[in-house]
Amino acid sequence: MARPDKAAAVAELTEQFRSSNAAVLTEYRGLTVAQLKTLRRSLGADAQYAVVKNTLTKIAANEAGISTLDDLFNGPTAVAFITGDPVTSAKGLRDFAKDNPNLVIKGGVLDGKALSADEIKKLADLESREVLLSKLAGAMKGKQSQAASLFQALPSKLVRTVDALRAKHEEQGGAE
């Protein structure tokens, strides 16, 4: 029978995996407590960075239906549980890893899909959700303006054509 404290830790980790949009596994060997505190701040309010025990976390991930991370649970491991925008937290991890080479991104999971370390770095290169939405809104507004111009051009072109035909008809009628 499992010890109650370990069962509680597994249950808590399982709930964190289930309630998170993404989870990123890192190796933190060689980082000081102050550096870990700085890392936690850089991840933003929508992420929780926790140093975990590999065996318990592997069990919790499997209970949450995530078995693709099993190979990553070796060495000192910490998990960033992300409940908000994963791009912001991925940028925080990437930027911190640039300044502190002791932080190694192992991989992770986003909406149930496994991500390699390279894919997490590509995710960090994306623009934030707000920027992408504003670009989309701008593009849609531009298309609406084009459509409005097109709809205005059709009647005015018709009026110019009718005027030209009337003028031509008057010239032909006046010449007879």
Side-chain angles (χ1 to χ4, degrees):
M1 182 94 179
R3 291 187 2 210
D5 57 336
K6 288 186 178 182
V10 168
E12 182 181 339
L13 287 169
T14 302
E15 180 55 34
Q16 285 182 310
F17 273 113
R18 286 185 177 145
S19 64
S20 299
N21 298 338
V24 179
L25 275 65
T26 63
E27 183 175 322
Y28 64 93
R29 186 182 322 211
L31 293 176
T32 65
V33 172
Q35 288 172 322
L36 287 174
K37 187 176 180 182
T38 303
L39 172 60
R40 285 185 176 102
R41 266 190 257 120
S42 71
L43 292 178
D46 294 331
Q48 181 184 354
Y49 189 76
V51 174
V52 294
K53 292 196 174 285
N54 288 333
T55 306
L56 299 180
T57 309
K58 186 175 181 179
I59 293 168
N62 286 326
E63 284 183 11
I66 303 169
S67 60
T68 56
L69 301 177
D70 288 353
D71 297 338
L72 302 178
F73 291 112
N74 50 27
T77 304
V79 181
F81 294 103
I82 304 165
T83 55
D85 185 14
V87 174
T88 305
S89 298
K91 284 182 186 197
L93 284 168
R94 178 200 59 195
D95 295 344
F96 187 86
K98 282 182 186 175
D99 297 335
N100 301 283
N102 288 337
L103 180 74
V104 177
I105 298 172
K106 296 180 178 183
V109 63
L110 173 65
D111 294 328
K113 181 187 177 290
L115 298 175
S116 67
D118 290 334
E119 289 173 323
I120 291 171
K121 290 174 185 169
K122 287 179 185 175
L123 180 66
D125 292 336
L126 289 176
E127 293 175 333
S128 70
R129 182 176 190 271
E130 290 78 21
V131 171
L132 292 174
L133 286 174
S134 66
K135 284 185 175 183
L136 177 64
M140 291 175 73
K141 183 178 178 186
K143 292 298 179 188
Q144 287 177 342
S145 297
Q146 286 177 344
S149 298
L150 177 66
F151 292 138
Q152 285 177 346
L154 290 174
S156 64
K157 186 175 180 182
L158 176 65
V159 169
R160 286 192 306 271
T161 304
V162 169
D163 280 344
L165 284 173
R166 184 182 48 77
K168 185 177 179 184
H169 184 13
E170 284 178 3
E171 285 177 15
Q172 289 176 351
E176 293 180 6

